[in-house]
Amino acid sequence: MSKKAYIFSQLFRDVRMNSGLSQWIVSVKAGTHLSNVNQIEAGHQEPRVHVAVRLVAACDVRFKLFFFEIN
């Protein structure tokens, strides 16, 4: 079985690291489990839309900017 490549996981990991937040802090702010954040960043799990929005917001990034204004 091949590993699926998730674009969200790569973008989210970069945003989280640039914000200086740990996975644990983001999980608390987003109201999800640390293991979910870890699995999403590793590309093993694709988040549902409402979880993706909460994760991005936990990093103090607007969701629209997350996808459309990446440098």
Side-chain angles (χ1 to χ4, degrees):
M1 181 183 306
S2 66
K3 179 180 169 184
K4 292 183 179 180
Y6 293 117
I7 292 176
F8 180 86
S9 65
Q10 297 166 353
L11 295 174
F12 175 68
R13 183 174 187 272
D14 290 343
V15 166
R16 181 190 60 78
M17 292 184 76
N18 287 337
S19 70
L21 299 173
S22 68
Q23 287 183 344
W24 182 79
I25 294 295
V26 169
S27 70
V28 170
K29 289 176 75 173
T32 190
H33 291 277
L34 174 60
S35 62
N36 290 343
V37 176
N38 182 275
Q39 291 295 307
I40 290 165
E41 282 193 10
H44 300 300
Q45 179 180 332
E46 185 76 2
R48 293 179 184 242
V49 173
H50 69 279
V51 173
V53 170
R54 290 194 328 242
L55 289 171
V56 172
C59 295
D60 296 322
V61 173
R62 291 188 331 193
F63 199 70
K64 182 179 177 182
L65 297 178
F66 177 77
F67 286 107
F68 296 111
E69 294 188 16
I70 304 233
N71 294 324

